[in-house]
Amino acid sequence: MSKTEERVDPAPNGVPQSGRVAGPVAPPRVSARRRRPGVIALSLALIAAGGAGVAVLLLQVGNRTDVVTVVRDVQVGQVLTEDDLGKASVALDPAVKAVQADNLESVVGKRAAVELKPGSLLAPSQVTKDNLVKAGEQLVPIGLEPKQIPATALVPGQKVQLVHVPAQGSTDTGEKSDAAPQTIDGRVVKASSAAPGTGIVVVDVATSATDGPTAATWVAAGTLRLVLAAPDGG
């Protein structure tokens, strides 16, 4: 009959204690996890969806359009040259209308219908093949003080009327008159920014060649006023 070995361990107070020597402890058995087909299928679906999202994002980033840009200041009515224009590749929103880079040659030689600034995209509506001052017309510059400027912005092509406003309650001869004031039809070609200090805006108005000298006389005498005409069909 075998004897069980005993091991004597010192107690905290220095007195030996007897006890059995423990044998080797077997590690706990770890059971393998059961495979769940549903979890695996969900994981594969998420991976596939993530891959599809990345693919869509890459397509959107790569969907760029070559367009025409403005590289230097161009005044209203100025003829566009290749030196005024450049090209850029941008992610273009479908709502934004811009001249395609392949059509750059089609806008060279046309006139700027509005003032163009460097760094902007060129839109088809910003160029015209027509002269802003047509045959049989004259250009009359009109200086407007801040109180005379309409709240509606003046833009090229806008129809206006030039109104002769003599001294209140009298004609140029000093006689009383209830007659309607003289008017001249015109069209805005360009409106400058307000001058620093004075706020005066200079508006270039195209009128018929016969009315141009009369309008210039009214401007010089300070008896001209500019009013917006109703749009066509209004």
Side-chain angles (χ1 to χ4, degrees):
M1 181 175 181
S2 61
K3 295 183 179 180
T4 303
E5 294 183 359
E6 293 185 354
R7 183 178 61 187
V8 179
D9 295 327
N13 56 6
V15 179
Q17 293 181 344
S18 62
R20 295 178 179 275
V21 177
V25 179
R29 185 178 180 182
V30 180
S31 61
R33 294 183 179 180
R34 297 176 58 188
R35 295 182 179 179
R36 299 180 180 178
V39 174
I40 296 175
L42 178 60
S43 300
L44 293 175
L46 290 175
I47 294 172
V54 171
V56 171
L57 180 61
L58 291 176
L59 286 174
Q60 290 178 344
V61 172
N63 188 18
R64 304 177 75 85
T65 305
D66 293 333
V67 296
V68 176
T69 61
V70 181
V71 298
R72 61 184 183 183
D73 288 307
V74 179
Q75 300 300 315
V76 177
Q78 182 178 329
V79 176
L80 290 170
T81 67
E82 290 188 2
D83 293 334
D84 300 321
L85 306 172
K87 297 180 180 180
S89 180
V90 298
L92 193 63
D93 189 291
V96 177
K97 304 301 181 183
V99 177
Q100 303 294 310
D102 293 341
N103 296 329
L104 185 146
E105 294 297 332
S106 68
V107 297
V108 172
K110 291 185 177 180
R111 297 180 183 273
V114 297
E115 188 174 2
L116 303 177
K117 291 294 184 181
S120 60
L121 302 182
L122 184 66
S125 61
Q126 293 177 320
V127 297
T128 177
K129 62 182 179 180
D130 300 325
N131 275 324
L132 297 183
V133 181
K134 302 175 183 179
E137 291 183 336
Q138 291 185 343
L139 197 65
V140 181
I142 303 170
L144 299 176
E145 298 178 1
K147 64 182 179 181
Q148 297 174 309
I149 302 171
T152 301
L154 297 172
V155 296
Q158 196 169 34
K159 293 183 178 181
V160 295
Q161 278 192 330
L162 308 182
V163 183
H164 183 227
V165 184
Q168 188 174 3
S170 65
T171 63
D172 292 339
T173 59
E175 297 177 356
K176 299 290 183 179
S177 174
D178 294 327
Q182 292 178 270
T183 61
I184 294 175
D185 293 331
R187 185 183 70 259
V188 174
V189 172
K190 179 182 178 181
S192 73
S193 301
T198 63
I200 292 178
V201 172
V202 177
V203 183
D204 291 340
V205 177
T207 68
S208 66
T210 54
D211 291 331
T214 302
T217 301
W218 295 351
V219 171
T223 58
L224 182 146
R225 297 292 182 270
L226 182 147
V227 298
L228 301 181
D232 292 338

